[in-house]
Amino acid sequence: MSFRNEVKMLSQIRHRNIVKLHGFCLHHRCMFFVYEYMGRGSLFYALNVDDDEAKELSWSKSVDIISGTANGLSYMHHDCFPPIVHKDVTSNNTLLNSELHVVVSNFGIARLLDPDSSNQTLQVGTYGYFAPELAHTMAVTENGGIENFNGRHPRELISSLLDDTSNKNIKTKDLLDPRIRLSLSQKETQAIAHVVTLALTCLHSNPKSRPSMQQVAHELSTSKQSLSLLFAEITIHQLIA
């Protein structure tokens, strides 16, 4: 069923940040997809397996990957009718080509959102990545689920970041992957604070308080006002206050 679902999804959508399906084979003895070749493999591999790959990611390249992923998801949520929700956006399902261009892949458990239904679903996806409300309501929305930005599993971050007592002392710089090269120019530190603030809003416990992927994609394409504090001293609490 997931194979047929992926064929259906990818035959309906075209976007530069969504993997291209060139063909497939569906046979009782053999099933496979023919995708465009993504030379760098998955983002998971770059962040967790090959340190040399991770060290190649500058801040600007990392933001390009985040923005590309957001653009692909925004297209699915807001430019497709009915909207499509991926339901398993992880670093394993985010692929990079030789130039670090990013595409979202693996649509086997994606689903079309019926605007006239309650959008109930079975709880599927990778634990730690699907929206927390799915564990209680099983309701799929366009505001559920966004990837992390520091090379660690999201579950390691969320409990501490959403704890009002502990996040007061967490420094923004400590959330960043130490392997990513930073110049810490004024422009770059502003961009980092902007992206981290946006990511934190996507972790809000109330799905209605999270930005849509369209809003996320737009925010990532805009710059924000100057910071009045030294970047090394900025805490998470100050960004989400």
Side-chain angles (χ1 to χ4, degrees):
M1 181 62 183
S2 63
F3 185 96
R4 294 178 183 272
N5 194 49
E6 183 148 3
V7 171
K8 179 181 178 181
M9 294 294 177
L10 290 178
S11 64
Q12 293 176 347
I13 54 183
R14 294 287 186 276
H15 190 276
R16 68 186 303 270
N17 296 115
I18 296 174
V19 68
K20 291 181 177 65
L21 178 66
H22 292 309
F24 65 92
C25 174
L26 177 56
H27 188 271
H28 70 279
R29 295 181 60 185
C30 182
M31 293 187 297
F32 61 85
F33 297 103
V34 180
Y35 294 126
E36 63 179 313
Y37 178 64
M38 304 301 290
R40 296 295 185 96
S42 70
L43 179 60
F44 177 88
Y45 180 86
L47 293 176
N48 298 282
V49 179
D50 191 329
D51 274 347
D52 290 335
E53 293 267 350
K55 291 174 182 177
E56 189 178 339
L57 295 176
S58 63
W59 176 253
S60 61
K61 289 179 179 177
S62 298
V63 172
D64 285 344
I65 292 171
I66 295 170
S67 297
T69 305
N71 286 331
L73 295 176
S74 176
Y75 168 80
M76 292 163 56
H77 293 180
H78 302 282
D79 297 315
C80 294
F81 186 82
I84 300 170
V85 173
H86 188 287
K87 295 176 63 182
D88 197 23
V89 182
T90 72
S91 53
N92 270 318
N93 296 331
T94 307
L95 307 181
L96 304 171
N97 70 9
S98 59
E99 298 177 351
L100 296 179
H101 172 74
V102 64
V103 296
V104 178
S105 69
N106 194 358
F107 285 71
I109 60 173
R111 66 165 295 172
L112 300 172
L113 280 190
D114 182 350
D116 297 321
S117 76
S118 61
N119 295 312
Q120 298 296 301
T121 186
L122 293 176
Q123 182 175 306
V124 289
T126 302
Y127 183 60
Y129 288 88
F130 58 72
E133 64 272 9
L134 284 179
H136 307 290
T137 67
M138 300 299 178
V140 179
T141 73
E142 296 165 10
N143 302 72
I146 191 169
E147 180 60 86
N148 64 14
F149 50 83
N150 74 338
R152 286 185 283 162
H153 193 285
R155 189 172 66 247
E156 299 175 23
L157 250 56
I158 293 174
S159 59
S160 60
L161 294 183
L162 299 185
D163 184 340
D164 289 336
T165 58
S166 66
N167 71 28
K168 293 182 184 299
N169 298 318
I170 298 176
K171 297 291 177 56
T172 300
K173 65 180 180 64
D174 294 331
L175 290 184
L176 304 180
D177 190 330
R179 297 168 300 180
I180 294 179
R181 302 192 309 276
L182 300 174
S183 67
L184 291 185
S185 63
Q186 182 67 10
K187 182 178 180 180
E188 186 173 78
T189 56
Q190 289 175 198
I192 292 170
H194 179 42
V195 171
V196 172
T197 302
L198 181 60
L200 292 172
T201 65
C202 294
L203 296 176
H204 201 287
S205 58
N206 182 354
K208 293 183 178 179
S209 297
R210 299 176 204 144
S212 68
M213 289 311 303
Q214 190 174 56
Q215 291 171 321
V216 170
H218 174 73
E219 284 292 315
L220 287 170
S221 68
T222 62
S223 58
K224 292 300 178 181
Q225 61 186 12
S226 300
L227 297 170
S228 58
L229 300 171
L230 290 175
F231 179 74
E233 302 302 319
I234 298 174
T235 65
I236 293 302
H237 182 72
Q238 290 171 316
L239 293 180
I240 63 178

